[in-house]
């Protein structure tokens, strides 16, 4: 008897994304460009982070009609974002048969205390994290994939670098811990000690971990792979640039050939203007999306 | 014997660790010149459109076909790898693929992710069922005369062999049952012996 919606098939889809690029799209045309460029999945949303940042207001899940059109237009898996804690936005997407839900701090949180109990869903969720504790808490809630946060919509990779280094550094620390130290560490992180033991054995998170937020160039993608990411999300970096298709293709190649400077050189040269961006250090704490949950 | 795992995109880490566990030398393959030493090649799960595109862009497809045609290579494709091996892809013939395996595949044949599943599967030649994980999996809707069906779901082939080509819709690399990989290594062994 075939079983659906199991942890294995949820985490399994994330495994298939590894070494790939997931691209934010807001229209059917963009979704087709992303597929043509070699994206492993597209993230359907109403506004890309750079525009959410510029226009302000409450950012909600995209119109399900738009998401449906994008699902019909491409053969690759489709993801969509819901507000943190917004169970009903997630139920709508599950009903539609979306392939992955991103419970995302890029949208305005619907619940300032609780995240969605993701074990109750048949389809997988990805959540953001800035450190190991946050990642393991999301996994405890049922996340099948982690997206190490950067600062979305800035085109500045520095925050993604800081957070990926933090996660990997904590993993390495856990690997060298004795059992008694591990118990105390679990308490301090607010996570299950079993989960922490799993991290110690694996030497990585128990689910796939992508980098996200501020990635704008092929070299940015390669950098995140070098720091230990399993793949990358690119939001504003592609469709806010002046010539999206070649840039998208170059970022796809750079994510595969991140160790190969010759390929990185070839795909990086001659790309037209990237997104203009914002220096993440100039943002005040209130403007940062990554601190909206923890 | 050297087994390559195509590492353009997808779950190559899992395939590589399963092959290493079985005691063979494993190389990750991303460039055409890395195909030359191989006796066997595993084409992983992932997105077939992404892998196909990169394969053509960097010339890995020609290197694989040349070595296979020379009788020096066995190939095993899982999920996306099965699509890439196929001669025909229903409704998506234009996407890059190798066309070596005489079948027609249908992508996402069970539906979207919510239809992804796991189940115990009876497989020809194995005494006990294999626990199979299907993720947005393809099925085979036509098999050529030289293709042997080793397992089916609802009468649709999900595991086939044609000489030294092996393909499965499911992902043995996501579990701990090594019997499919062992079978593949025996096929690769034949290519290896032929070289001498």
């Amino acid at each position: 008897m075939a079983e659906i919606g199991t942890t294995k098939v949820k985490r399994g889809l994330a495994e298939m994304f590894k070494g790939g690029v997931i691209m934010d799209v807001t229209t059917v045309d963009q979704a087709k460009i992303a597929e043509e460029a070699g994206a492993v999945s597209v993230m359907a949303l109403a506004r890309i982070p750079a525009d959410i940042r510029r226009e302000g207001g409450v950012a909600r899940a995209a119109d399900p009609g738009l998401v449906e059109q994008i699902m019909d237009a491409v053969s690759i898996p489709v993801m969509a974002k819901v507000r943190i804690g917004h169970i009903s936005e997630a139920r709508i997407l599950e009903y539609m048969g979306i392939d992955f839900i991103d419970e995302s701090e890029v949208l305005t949180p619907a619940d300032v205390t609780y995240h969605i109990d993701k074990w109750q869903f048949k389809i997988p969720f990805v959540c953001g994290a800035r450190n190991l504790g946050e990642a393991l808490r999301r996994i405890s809630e049922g996340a099948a994939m982690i997206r190490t946060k950067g600062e979305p919509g800035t085109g500045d990779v520095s925050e993604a670098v800081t957070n990926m280094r933090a996660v990997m550094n904590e993993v390495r620390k856990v690997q060298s811990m004795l059992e008694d130290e591990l118990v105390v560490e679990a308490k301090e992180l607010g996570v299950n000690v079993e989960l922490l033991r799993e991290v110690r054995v694996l030497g990585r998170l128990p689910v796939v971990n992508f980098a996200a937020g501020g990635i704008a160039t092929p070299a940015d993608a390669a950098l995140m792979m070098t720091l230990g990411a399993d793949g990358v999300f690119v939001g504003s970096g592609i469709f806010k640039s002046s010539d999206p298709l070649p840039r998208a293709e170059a970022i796809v190649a750079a994510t595969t050939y991140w160790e190969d400077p010759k390929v990185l050189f070839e795909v990086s040269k001659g790309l037209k203007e990237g997104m203009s961006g914002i220096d993440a250090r100039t943002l005040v704490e209130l403007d940062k999306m990554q601190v909206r949950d923890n | 014997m050297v087994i390559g795992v195509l590492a353009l995109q997808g779950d190559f880490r899992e395939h590589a660790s399963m092959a290493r566990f079985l005691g063979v030398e494993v190389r990750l393959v991303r460039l055409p010149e890395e195909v030359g030493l191989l006796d066997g090649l595993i084409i992983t799960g992932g997105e077939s459109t992404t892998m196909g595109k990169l394969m053509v862009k960097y010339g890995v497809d020609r290197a694989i076909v040349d070595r296979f045609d020379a009788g020096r290579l066995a190939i095993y494709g899982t999920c996306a790898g099965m699509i890439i091996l196929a001669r025909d892809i229903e409704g998506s013939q234009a996407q890059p693929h190798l066309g070596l395996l005489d079948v027609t595949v249908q992508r996402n044949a069970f539906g979207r992710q919510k239809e992804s599943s796991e189940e115990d599967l009876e497989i020809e030649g194995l005494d006990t069922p294999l626990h199979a994980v299907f993720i947005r999996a393809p099925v085979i809707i036509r098999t050529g005369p030289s293709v042997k069906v080793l397992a089916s779901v609802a009468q649709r082939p999900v595991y086939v062999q044609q000489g030294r080509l092996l393909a499965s819709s499911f992902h043995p690399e996501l579990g701990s049952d090594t019997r499919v990989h062992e079978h593949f290594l025996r096929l690769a062994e034949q290519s290896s012996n032929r070289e001498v």
Side-chain angles (χ1 to χ4, degrees):
Chain A
M1 191 47 210
E3 266 191 287
I4 59 165
T6 61
T7 301
K8 185 132 215 162
V9 300
K10 288 178 180 175
R11 291 184 181 183
L13 179 56
E15 299 290 349
M16 300 310 142
F17 292 149
K18 284 186 302 193
V21 183
I22 300 172
M23 301 181 191
D24 277 1
V25 299
T26 58
T27 65
V28 167
D29 285 344
Q30 288 181 359
K32 287 181 177 164
I33 291 171
E35 183 177 41
E36 191 191 334
V40 290
S41 175
V42 290
M43 175 79 71
L45 71 177
R47 291 186 287 172
I48 55 174
D51 290 332
I52 294 173
R53 192 173 284 290
R54 190 166 49 84
E55 292 161 13
V58 175
R60 309 181 181 91
D63 169 10
L66 170 69
V67 177
E68 193 174 34
Q69 284 171 18
I70 290 172
M71 286 165 64
D72 290 341
V74 295
S75 67
I76 55 178
V78 178
M79 299 187 165
K81 287 185 192 292
V82 301
R83 284 177 271 180
I84 288 167
H86 208 311
I87 301 161
S88 299
E89 284 183 349
R91 285 291 177 205
I92 293 169
L93 290 172
E94 181 184 46
Y95 169 77
M96 291 166 61
I98 197 90
D99 296 294
F100 232 102
I101 296 176
D102 184 0
E103 186 182 21
S104 176
E105 71 287 352
V106 169
L107 306 183
T108 312
D111 191 322
V112 295
T113 312
Y114 299 106
H115 284 76
I116 296 170
D117 174 9
K118 293 166 274 287
W119 298 113
Q120 304 305 319
F121 287 75
K122 292 289 185 200
I123 46 172
F125 278 72
V126 55
C127 287
R130 277 179 303 153
N131 51 54
L132 182 62
E134 221 176 306
L136 295 181
R137 287 193 294 278
R138 296 296 89 77
I139 294 166
S140 308
E141 295 157 3
M145 178 176 178
I146 292 295
R147 166 172 65 61
T148 295
K149 301 176 199 173
E151 193 47 44
T154 59
D156 180 346
V157 80
S158 65
E159 299 280 323
V161 166
T162 302
N163 296 336
M164 185 57 76
R165 280 199 180 269
V167 171
M168 302 314 281
N169 177 275
E170 286 168 291
V171 167
R172 285 190 294 271
K173 207 174 80 185
V174 165
Q175 276 184 284
S176 66
M177 278 185 182
L178 301 173
E179 184 62 23
D180 48 4
E181 296 168 336
L182 201 73
V183 172
V184 173
E185 182 72 8
K187 202 173 80 181
E188 276 169 11
L189 295 179
V191 302
N192 184 317
V193 69
E194 272 306 316
L195 210 46
L196 215 50
R197 275 195 200 107
E198 215 180 323
V199 171
R200 185 171 60 178
V201 171
L202 293 171
R204 56 176 166 82
L205 295 181
V207 302
V208 166
N209 177 26
F210 269 44
I215 296 161
T217 69
D220 285 350
L223 172 62
M224 297 317 299
M225 296 300 287
T226 305
L227 295 177
D230 290 321
V232 299
F233 282 88
V234 184
S236 318
I238 290 170
F239 291 103
K240 275 287 165 189
S241 73
S242 51
D243 198 1
L245 180 61
R247 180 167 296 263
E249 287 177 324
I251 292 175
V252 167
T255 304
T256 293
Y257 295 98
W258 58 274
E259 290 174 292
D260 190 331
K262 178 169 174 275
V263 173
L264 295 179
F265 160 67
E266 280 163 3
V267 301
S268 296
K269 66 181 173 188
L271 289 178
K272 293 196 181 129
E273 193 82 16
M275 70 178 286
S276 66
I278 303 164
D279 184 335
R281 291 171 304 177
T282 64
L283 295 174
V284 296
E285 206 62 7
L286 191 65
D287 290 331
K288 289 193 174 175
M289 293 173 174
Q290 58 174 308
V291 298
R292 284 170 165 176
D293 63 339
N294 57 58
Chain B
M1 185 165 66
V2 183
I3 299 295
V5 179
L6 193 63
L8 296 176
Q9 189 271 316
D11 68 337
F12 49 86
R13 181 173 69 200
E14 284 66 25
H15 274 292
S17 64
M18 192 166 264
R20 279 195 193 103
F21 174 78
L22 293 172
V24 292
E25 187 182 340
V26 175
R27 305 249 175 102
L28 296 182
V29 173
R30 296 188 176 94
L31 293 169
E33 53 269 31
E34 293 164 340
V35 177
L37 292 167
L38 308 177
D39 303 303
L41 176 71
I42 298 174
I43 306 182
T44 65
E47 273 308 308
S48 60
T49 50
T50 306
M51 289 160 51
K53 194 182 160 71
L54 289 168
M55 213 164 67
V56 171
K57 187 171 178 180
Y58 292 95
V60 186
D61 58 334
R62 285 312 319 162
I64 294 171
V65 170
D66 288 349
R67 188 150 179 92
F68 176 79
D69 285 346
R72 310 278 287 268
L73 193 66
I75 311 177
Y76 170 36
T78 53
C79 196
M82 173 194 262
I83 296 167
I84 283 176
L85 277 181
R87 180 169 296 171
D88 300 307
I89 306 170
E90 178 80 356
S92 190
Q93 190 62 15
Q95 81 176 70
H97 55 289
L98 297 173
L100 298 173
L101 180 67
D102 186 15
V103 299
T104 303
V105 294
Q106 186 186 350
R107 290 178 63 197
N108 307 327
F110 295 91
R112 306 190 75 94
Q113 170 63 11
K114 64 177 179 176
E115 309 302 334
S116 291
S117 67
E118 45 184 315
E119 67 177 289
D120 288 334
L121 194 66
E122 295 288 345
I123 289 177
E124 197 174 310
L126 297 186
D127 308 341
T128 55
L130 183 121
H131 192 71
V133 181
F134 293 89
I135 298 183
R136 284 175 50 99
V139 296
I140 289 169
I141 55 175
R142 178 194 64 83
T143 52
S146 56
V147 175
K148 189 174 169 198
V149 176
L150 300 174
S152 299
V153 169
Q155 282 85 53
R156 296 185 295 184
V158 294
Y159 181 34
V160 298
Q161 182 176 345
Q162 172 192 317
R164 283 176 206 160
L165 296 173
L166 193 66
S168 71
S169 307
F170 52 89
H171 295 278
E173 76 280 8
L174 292 183
S176 53
D177 192 328
T178 56
R179 289 177 293 173
V180 171
H181 284 73
E182 286 169 41
H183 179 58
F184 174 63
L185 294 187
R186 284 191 290 271
L187 300 181
E189 189 80 50
Q190 294 167 16
S191 306
S192 176
N193 292 342
R194 186 175 169 137
E195 231 171 291
V196 184

